[in-house]
Amino acid sequence: MEAGEPEAEARKRVRIPFPSKPAAYKAFVAERGDTRAGLEGVCPWWHEVNTYVFQSGFLDADTAWKNWLTSFKGTRAGRRVGYPRFKKRGRARDSFRLHHNVNKPGIRLATYRRLRLPTFGEVRLHESAKRLQRLIGKGEAVVQSVTVSRGGHRWYASVLCKVAVSVPDQPSKAQRARGTVGVDLGVKVLAGLSRPLIDDEPASMLVPNSRPLRTPADAWPRHRRRCREPRRDPRGGTRPDAASDVSTTKSHSAATAHCTS
């Protein structure tokens, strides 16, 4: 700094006004319009959409502004948060979030295979929600919100639930008999233990990685070469594989995904 003040101290005194959620929603109400009354505005069709779609958007914007400002001042831990940007088609994921009143739930399971969303109605689930329905029936789970996002030509609903989990106050009899062990997370192996899991096997002190993480280093060139190989065209001849334009990685799972795409 030209004045001789450290940058970290100068950042802490920054006062940047940004629109809060109540102020932004108030301005939106004044400018939205209404097709039912013949009023033009930025979105006169708002009454056709669930109100929580707008509420969640304003809430996310408010959180983004706060995260950026606290990161700019240095009071937020972790990596530096960038300046908030507007969502843009093709750059951001197509998604929206719905909330409801947990005392009068609007998001609920109609059956094991159908989820009811406010305003939108019932949608069919690809997987069974029997386990979730049982937890809700026992009072052990409460649906908080649902996020609907698009992936390719399909829409996916991610249900956020608050589940009650009973944590014992003290270890069980079997745990006390086994004693205490220290765990050190590693890279070459998943974890290193302070003592063997099996008394007669010292090798049990090291917990190996899962199979995808045990890919030897000499297998990486083979995966990259397989991705670059031309693929046979059913009309005759060969054509370059679409995966050849993708930058190769050292991850076995990423290389496999590129080859099978």
Side-chain angles (χ1 to χ4, degrees), residues 146-169:
V146 58
T147 301
V148 181
S149 59
R150 182 167 62 178
H153 63 285
R154 294 181 180 272
W155 290 89
Y156 299 89
S158 176
V159 183
L160 177 63
C161 299
K162 184 178 181 180
V163 182
V165 180
S166 58
V167 180
D169 299 334

Side-chain angles (χ1 to χ4, degrees), residues 76-212:
R76 176 186 171 88
R79 64 180 182 85
R80 182 67 61 85
V81 178
Y83 191 81
R85 298 184 301 176
F86 286 101
K87 295 184 68 174
K88 182 181 179 181
R89 175 177 293 183
R91 187 180 65 185
R93 183 183 62 167
D94 295 336
S95 64
F96 61 90
R97 189 169 69 253
L98 297 174
H99 299 268
H100 69 149
N101 186 357
V102 295
N103 298 323
K104 298 179 180 179
I107 305 173
R108 59 180 181 272
L109 291 171
T111 62
Y112 292 155
R113 287 286 185 175
R114 302 194 70 84
L115 176 67
R116 186 187 182 279
L117 302 178
T119 308
F120 296 92
E122 296 181 2
V123 295
R124 188 182 183 277
L125 301 178
H126 181 69
E127 299 178 355
S128 176
K130 182 181 295 185
R131 181 183 179 186
L132 177 60
Q133 182 66 26
R134 288 178 177 177
L135 292 175
I136 295 176
K138 295 178 182 179
E140 298 179 359
V142 177
V143 177
Q144 299 288 331
S145 64
V146 58
T147 301
V148 181
S149 59
R150 182 167 62 178
H153 63 285
R154 294 181 180 272
W155 290 89
Y156 299 89
S158 176
V159 183
L160 177 63
C161 299
K162 184 178 181 180
V163 182
V165 180
S166 58
V167 180
D169 299 334
Q170 54 185 0
S172 62
K173 183 178 180 180
Q175 291 174 339
R176 289 195 298 268
R178 296 291 296 175
T180 305
V181 61
V183 180
D184 182 22
L185 298 180
V187 177
K188 187 176 181 180
V189 295
L190 182 62
L193 308 180
S194 60
R195 61 184 182 85
L197 291 177
I198 303 175
D199 297 335
D200 298 337
E201 298 183 8
S204 61
M205 294 181 61
L206 300 178
V207 180
N209 282 314
S210 58
R211 185 176 178 180

